[in-house]
Amino acid sequence: MTAGAAGLLLVAGTTAATVAQAADLPPGAPPGVCPTGTEHGPPLASPTTTASRLIGGRTFLEGPAWVADPGYLLMSDMRAATGPQRVQPSTILRYTPGSATVETVIAESGSNGLAISPDGQSVVAATHDQRSVSRYQLADLSRQVVAANFQGAAFNSPNDVSIRSDGVVYFTDPDFQRGRRADAMNGRTSVFRVSGGTVSLVDDALRQPNGIALSPDGSTLYVGAYGENKIYSYPVRADGSTGTRTLFASIAGPDGGTIDCAGNVYWASGTDGLVHVFNPTGAQLGTIASAAGTTNVAFGGADRQTLFITSGRTGDSGLYSVHLGVPGYPY
């Protein structure tokens, strides 16, 4: 998206990020992701929409993320905890639309939530195997560390991740996959930011922060606090820092979430198995049903109007999809 959402026009040789920063505004989505000057209609055809199952039979799917070029979906499949430290192995899978199966991309990724870098060349993963945030280059699948610790203390088990168009990374750190490893966070479960290689604290007062998502204009960060049954929002400044959180909405067991180009918010509930859809003010527009145990959501498809949903009971976790009326921010 250009900076049109802020009433600005780009000139040759500038980017959305540089113009937004010059105006002391956060950078929005990369150019072309969200159309400007568009009046969006309702996202749902019905207040009680149902998604279609694409594949099933996986262990526990999480963290879908769409790779626009050439056009496929990545997701994590987490297995039962193993070893003396009781750490959950996981695999990154690839689903290509039209296929009845998935392919293994990284056999031992250690990942949960995924996000595609704005340039589309890498996937950033919340990797609980090393209690870190990692970057996998899509060209050769090499792994680099994005965030290893906070002020020398090991994270609990990074869970979900979101990336701003200028590369600033936000992630949640509950203790769901910490297993028997030592608690270096002294009982705190937090939200962090990574900018220029430096890890900063966003909030350490949430009970089990889980899903995390940025609005396409870059101005709002949303976090689902699983242990509180609440979704919070934070204003985001141009430098990536955040303001005071406010309550956005309440749902049972908020897991992963995403945002469309009109600012509507989609949040998966691991408790009732629904995706709850809210307008930008927090009013609920409806729900999308898939299967019990909904974990996460992501926009994708050629027109970015397909919502992919990971959902299902452990051992028969599946991927679902529904075509919506508004395109979404797929990163």
Side-chain angles (χ1 to χ4, degrees):
M1 180 175 68
T2 67
L8 302 174
L9 296 176
L10 294 183
V11 297
T14 64
T15 66
T18 57
V19 171
Q21 288 167 348
D24 200 30
L25 298 172
V33 171
C34 286
T36 59
T38 300
E39 291 292 330
H40 296 290
L44 302 176
S46 166
T48 53
T49 300
T50 300
S52 300
R53 179 159 154 149
L54 301 173
I55 61 159
R58 308 306 305 189
T59 304
F60 191 84
L61 294 177
E62 256 285 9
W66 178 256
V67 180
D69 184 13
Y72 58 79
L73 189 79
L74 295 177
M75 52 193 163
S76 297
D77 191 7
M78 297 193 294
R79 306 188 297 279
T82 61
Q85 293 186 321
R86 307 306 297 165
V87 178
Q88 286 185 262
S90 61
T91 299
I92 292 181
L93 305 175
R94 176 172 56 225
Y95 170 77
T96 302
S99 174
T101 61
V102 295
E103 303 169 273
T104 297
V105 177
I106 302 173
E108 296 297 334
S109 62
S111 62
N112 191 326
L114 308 175
I116 305 302
S117 63
D119 64 6
Q121 301 303 304
S122 63
V123 56
V124 175
T127 42
H128 56 265
D129 65 338
Q130 297 181 6
R131 303 170 76 172
S132 66
V133 176
S134 302
R135 182 187 306 275
Y136 286 102
Q137 296 295 330
L138 294 176
D140 59 9
L141 304 182
S142 60
R143 181 176 182 173
Q144 298 88 37
V145 175
V146 174
N149 58 71
F150 177 60
Q151 297 178 347
F155 300 118
N156 293 305
S157 55
N159 183 278
D160 205 0
V161 60
S162 188
I163 309 175
R164 207 165 73 164
S165 64
D166 61 353
V168 176
V169 172
Y170 300 87
F171 68 95
T172 57
D173 186 40
D175 61 15
F176 299 140
Q177 279 80 44
R178 194 178 69 217
R180 294 175 181 165
R181 294 173 289 187
D183 176 9
M185 287 290 161
N186 298 314
R188 297 189 306 274
T189 55
S190 307
V191 182
F192 294 99
R193 177 181 81 253
V194 189
S195 179
T198 299
V199 180
S200 303
L201 179 67
V202 172
D203 197 339
D204 64 356
L206 300 186
R207 296 201 307 274
Q208 304 294 12
N210 197 330
I212 189 166
L214 273 167
S215 62
D217 66 4
S219 67
T220 308
L221 179 71
Y222 296 90
V223 178
Y226 191 89
E228 302 176 31
N229 296 323
K230 299 182 187 303
I231 302 168
Y232 292 105
S233 64
Y234 301 76
V236 180
R237 307 182 185 100
D239 66 356
S241 62
T242 51
T244 303
R245 73 173 184 266
T246 57
L247 178 64
F248 175 73
S250 297
I251 66 171
D255 204 317
T258 193
I259 323 290
D260 70 20
C261 289
N264 300 309
V265 177
Y266 302 72
W267 221 274
S269 165
T271 301
D272 63 23
L274 300 173
V275 177
H276 294 257
V277 185
F278 303 92
N279 73 11
T281 68
Q284 185 152 336
L285 301 177
T287 59
I288 303 170
S290 51
T294 304
T295 60
N296 218 322
V297 288
F299 276 98
D303 60 3
R304 298 192 180 94
Q305 288 181 230
T306 297
L307 186 71
F308 291 99
I309 305 166
T310 49
S311 189
R313 300 185 186 280
T314 301
D316 190 26
S317 186
L319 178 66
Y320 294 74
S321 73
V322 60
H323 195 261
L324 300 178
V326 180
Y329 182 25
Y331 301 100

